C-alpha cells in the first residue's frame, strides 16, 4: 500500500509544477490504465533521440511514482476547475507508457479507455496518408491539386495550388463563410462538393504564407478518395491506421468531410500511439517526415505545427466548434526526449485563449514523466 508520505510527495511535485496548491484530493484515485512496471527507479543517463528514429514502442508502464505524479496532475486540473473532464497519455521511448483520466464528460465518469474528440489532430493522419500515396507513386505532391480531384470536383481549380501547398495551408483556398467562429466545413454543407461550391473567391495567391483553413484538408480527403477509390475512413484504416494499437482512433464520418478532423475520436492511448509511430518514423519515410516538420521559418509544416516556443516540440492541436462545445486537444512529440503526450480535455465553456489550458497540462505531464 502506498504510504501517506508518498501521496503528499507526489502532490508537492504537482504543486511545484503548477505553481499553486490544489485542493487535496479525496481518497479516490483518478481512473487510469497502469500495468505493473518492470522499470527501474535507479537514475541513469537519459538517451537522446531524433525525429524518425524512435525505438520500438516501449512495452510496460512507468514506475509507480511517475504514474502517480501523472495521475495527480490530471486531478489537480479538475480540482482547479480548468477542465470538467480530461484524458491523457504519455509515452517515453525505452521507458514505458501511461494513460489516465479524471473528471467526466456529459455526466459520465471518464476512464483511460474513454474516446474523446481528436478534432484537428486528425489532420496529421490525412497528411501522412497523402505523403504515403506520394511515396508509392500514386500522386505527386508538387502537382496541381486539381489534377487529382474526383470528377464531381473537376470544375474546381483549387486556386492553382499544388498538393504540397494545400498540405501546408499555403494554398490561398479560403475557408467556408462563418469559419471565423471555428465552425467546421461539415457544419456548413452536407458534402465536400457543396463545401467548395459555397466558398468565396480566393483573395491570396498560393505561397503567401500559412493561412489556416479546414477546407484545405477536406480537399485532401477528396484527393485520397479519388486516388484510392475508397471512402476516406476506409482508405486510412487500410493504410496508415492499419495497426491494432490504433483501433481506438476512429473516423466516425466516413467521407472526405472528416479529413479536417470533424468526427474523429480517439482513446488517449491510441492517440499517443499514433504520435509515437508517426513522429518516431514508422508511418512515412524519413524524407516525408522531414517535409512534415520543415516549417520554413513559419509555424505550420505539412500537417504539423511547430510547438517549440512552448517546449512541446512538434505536433498538432484542435478545438471544438460552437456546435460541439467545448473541448481542446493537443498531440505533442518531443524528439530529443523521445516523449509523446496527448491531452483531450472538456472545458466548462468556450476558451477565451484557445489551447492555453491543454498546452499547460501537456507541459506538466512532460515534466512529471521526465523528472
Amino acid at each position: 500500500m502506498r504510504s501517506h508520505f508518498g501521496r503528499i510527495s507526489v502532490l508537492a511535485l504537482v504543486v511545484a509544477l503548477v505553481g499553486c496548491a490544489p485542493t487535496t484530493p479525496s481518497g479516490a484515485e483518478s481512473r487510469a490504465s497502469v500495468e505493473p512496471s518492470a522499470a527501474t527507479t535507479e537514475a541513469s543517463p537519459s538517451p537522446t533521440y531524433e525525429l524518425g528514429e524512435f525505438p520500438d514502442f516501449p512495452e510496460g508502464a512507468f514506475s509507480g511514482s511517475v504514474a502517480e505524479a501523472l495521475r495527480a496532475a490530471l486531478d489537480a486540473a479538475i480540482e482547479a476547475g480548468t477542465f470538467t473532464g480530461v484524458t491523457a497519455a504519455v509515452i517515453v521511448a525505452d521507458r514505458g507508457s501511461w494513460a489516465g483520466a479524471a473528471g467526466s464528460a456529459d455526466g459520465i465518469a471518464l476512464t483511460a479507455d474513454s474516446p474523446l474528440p481528436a478534432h484537428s489532430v486528425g489532420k496529421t493522419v490525412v497528411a501522412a496518408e497523402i505523403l504515403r500515396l506520394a511515396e508509392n507513386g500514386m500522386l505527386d505532391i508538387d502537382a496541381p491539386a486539381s489534377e487529382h480531384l474526383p470528377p464531381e470536383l473537376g470544375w474546381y481549380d483549387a486556386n492553382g495550388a499544388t498538393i504540397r501547398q494545400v498540405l501546408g495551408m499555403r494554398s490561398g483556398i479560403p475557408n467556408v463563410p462563418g469559419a471565423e467562429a471555428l465552425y467546421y466545413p461539415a457544419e456548413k454543407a452536407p458534402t465536400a462538393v457543396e463545401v467548395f461550391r459555397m466558398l468565396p473567391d480566393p483573395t491570396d495567391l498560393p505561397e503567401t504564407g500559412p493561412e489556416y483553413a479546414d477546407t484545405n484538408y477536406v480537399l485532401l480527403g477528396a484527393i485520397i478518395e479519388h486516388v484510392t477509390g475508397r471512402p476516406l475512413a476506409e482508405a486510412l484504416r487500410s493504410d496508415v491506421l492499419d495497426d491494432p494499437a490504433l483501433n481506438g482512433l476512429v473516423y466516425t464520418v466516413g467521407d472526405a468531410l472528416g479529413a479536417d478532423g470533424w468526427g474523429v475520436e480517439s482513446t488517449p492511448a491510441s492517440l499517443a500511439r499514433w504520435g509515437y509511430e508517426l513522429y518516431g518514423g514508422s508511418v512515412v519515410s524519413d524524407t516525408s517526415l522531414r517535409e512534415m516538420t520543415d516549417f520554413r521559418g513559419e509555424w505550420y509544416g505539412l500537417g504539423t505545427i511547430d510547438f517549440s516556443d512552448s517546449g512541446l516540440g512538434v505536433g498538432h492541436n484542435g478545438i471544438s466548434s460552437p456546435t460541439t462545445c467545448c473541448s481542446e486537444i493537443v498531440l505533442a512529440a518531443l524528439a530529443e526526449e523521445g516523449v509523446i503526450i496527448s491531452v483531450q480535455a472538456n472545458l466548462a465553456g468556450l476558451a477565451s485563449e484557445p489551447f492555453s489550458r491543454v498546452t499547460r497540462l501537456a507541459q506538466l505531464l512532460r515534466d512529471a514523466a521526465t523528472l
Side-chain angles (χ1 to χ4, degrees):
M1 178 178 293
R2 198 160 43 242
S3 70
H4 183 62
F5 174 79
R7 178 70 171 165
I8 293 175
S9 298
V10 170
L11 288 175
L13 168 64
V14 175
V15 170
L17 295 175
V18 175
C20 61
T23 304
T24 302
S26 66
E29 295 284 344
S30 294
R31 291 152 297 280
S33 174
V34 181
E35 300 175 1
S37 172
T40 177
T41 57
E42 295 180 2
S44 59
S46 298
T48 58
Y49 307 91
E50 300 286 343
L51 278 177
E53 298 181 3
F54 288 4
D56 290 343
F57 176 77
E59 301 296 338
F62 294 140
S63 65
S65 61
V66 173
E68 186 164 350
L70 294 168
R71 285 196 301 267
L74 299 192
D75 282 333
I78 296 298
E79 291 157 6
T82 307
F83 309 120
T84 60
V86 60
T87 62
V90 181
I91 304 170
V92 180
D94 291 324
R95 284 184 53 197
S97 64
W98 171 91
S104 63
D106 299 324
I108 300 173
L110 292 173
T111 74
D113 296 320
S114 295
L116 287 178
H119 296 317
S120 288
V121 175
K123 290 181 173 70
T124 62
V125 181
V126 169
E129 178 64 18
I130 288 287
L131 291 167
R132 179 81 74 85
L133 292 173
E135 292 168 8
N136 293 335
M138 298 179 71
L139 56 77
D140 178 0
I141 67 170
D142 290 310
S146 59
E147 292 183 0
H148 294 284
L149 292 176
E152 60 270 24
L153 272 173
W155 52 270
Y156 188 64
D157 71 356
N159 198 30
T162 65
I163 293 175
R164 182 188 298 276
Q165 289 165 336
V166 176
L167 277 168
M169 300 288 184
R170 294 169 171 85
S171 68
I173 296 173
N175 222 332
V176 293
E180 62 275 5
L182 302 179
Y183 286 99
Y184 284 82
E187 298 176 276
K188 296 294 184 177
T191 67
V193 172
E194 290 304 312
V195 165
F196 292 100
R197 287 196 186 281
M198 70 184 299
L199 294 190
D201 291 335
T203 58
D204 295 320
L205 294 173
E207 282 304 321
T208 54
E211 290 292 336
Y212 197 91
D214 288 317
T215 42
N216 285 285
Y217 275 70
V218 174
L219 192 73
L220 294 173
I223 289 172
I224 291 171
E225 292 189 327
H226 180 57
V227 171
T228 64
R230 296 180 174 185
L232 175 68
E234 183 180 325
L236 298 175
R237 183 58 59 193
S238 64
D239 195 8
V240 293
L241 295 181
D242 184 18
D243 183 334
L246 303 176
N247 285 347
L249 201 170
V250 177
Y251 278 69
T252 65
V253 175
D255 62 25
L257 285 178
D260 61 353
W262 173 255
V264 181
E265 297 179 350
S266 185
T267 60
S270 282
L271 191 60
R273 182 64 178 268
W274 164 252
Y276 193 86
E277 300 302 331
L278 174 62
Y279 294 113
S282 298
V283 178
V284 297
S285 69
D286 289 344
T287 298
S288 293
L289 187 57
R290 285 195 298 270
E291 291 178 329
M292 290 186 77
T293 55
D294 180 3
F295 302 105
R296 298 158 55 190
E298 301 282 356
W299 59 276
Y300 205 86
L302 303 184
T304 294
I305 295 173
D306 182 2
F307 290 147
S308 58
D309 284 349
S310 61
L312 293 177
V314 301
H316 215 294
N317 50 24
I319 192 168
S320 57
S321 73
T323 302
T324 57
C325 179
C326 303
S327 55
E328 295 176 354
I329 293 88
V330 66
L331 174 66
L334 290 75
E336 186 172 342
E337 297 90 340
V339 173
I340 300 292
I341 300 165
S342 71
V343 177
Q344 297 160 269
N346 287 340
L347 311 176
L350 283 174
S352 57
E353 297 180 7
F355 310 124
S356 61
R357 296 171 175 85
V358 292
T359 296
R360 182 56 180 152
L361 181 54
Q363 292 167 334
L364 298 177
L365 295 173
R366 172 204 62 198
D367 293 345
T370 58
L371 284 178

